[in-house]
Amino acid sequence: MKKIEGEAEKCDCIHVHEDIVKKVEEKMPQDEQLADLAEFFRIFGDATRIRILYVLMCSEMCVCDIATLLGMTQSAISHQLRVLKQMDLVKNRREGKTVFYSLADGHIKTILSQGIEHINE
């Protein structure tokens, strides 16, 4: 990871580019949508949840398997899966007494893959 040092560079003069501001303003999502997006990405800010999502990107798994693979308790995994499910990042299906979890859709795999690709650059 790159270290953040000092301040960001800024213009030497104050000049608002009205045409650019107006064009971007028209495309900006509503504040509520941006707050939802911030909450969505906040979920990715936890290493345990990222590990679980990465595991599920590789294969559908039950809580027991995930707990074993990550060296954590089933309770801790269940708690994180509940958070991920509430945010519609994972889904589950029951097969007899076993509940299998998987990524909710291809978007989550894309986000994870692009994130890994970005940090490896």
Side-chain angles (χ1 to χ4, degrees):
M1 290 288 297
K2 296 179 182 176
K3 291 183 181 179
I4 301 172
E5 295 181 21
E7 292 184 34
E9 292 187 51
K10 58 184 177 182
C11 299
D12 294 330
C13 65
I14 297 175
H15 173 77
V16 177
H17 299 86
E18 301 284 343
D19 54 332
I20 296 172
V21 170
K22 184 177 180 182
K23 186 168 79 172
V24 172
E25 199 171 45
E26 291 171 357
K27 294 181 180 182
M28 283 288 290
Q30 298 294 317
D31 286 347
E32 185 178 321
Q33 287 177 302
L34 293 174
D36 289 346
L37 183 61
E39 179 66 16
F40 173 78
F41 280 110
R42 184 187 68 76
I43 297 301
F44 288 90
D46 180 272
T48 298
R49 288 192 290 263
I50 289 292
R51 291 173 73 207
I52 292 169
L53 290 170
Y54 192 83
V55 162
L56 295 177
M57 185 170 80
C58 297
S59 177
E60 175 184 69
M61 297 181 91
C62 74
V63 174
C64 303
D65 295 338
I66 298 169
T68 299
L69 185 65
L70 299 183
M72 298 176 66
T73 65
Q74 289 183 31
S75 177
I77 296 299
S78 292
H79 170 74
Q80 296 299 342
L81 285 168
R82 184 172 42 254
V83 171
L84 293 169
K85 190 169 181 195
Q86 287 171 342
M87 290 301 294
D88 294 324
L89 299 178
V90 299
K91 62 184 178 182
N92 66 295
R93 69 174 182 84
R94 180 174 289 278
E95 189 174 294
K97 294 183 178 185
T98 305
V99 178
F100 290 96
Y101 284 85
S102 61
L103 297 180
D105 58 47
H107 295 111
I108 309 310
K109 185 174 183 176
T110 300
I111 291 166
L112 291 170
S113 297
Q114 288 182 347
I116 295 278
E117 184 180 324
H118 178 75
I119 63 169
N120 287 332
E121 288 182 344

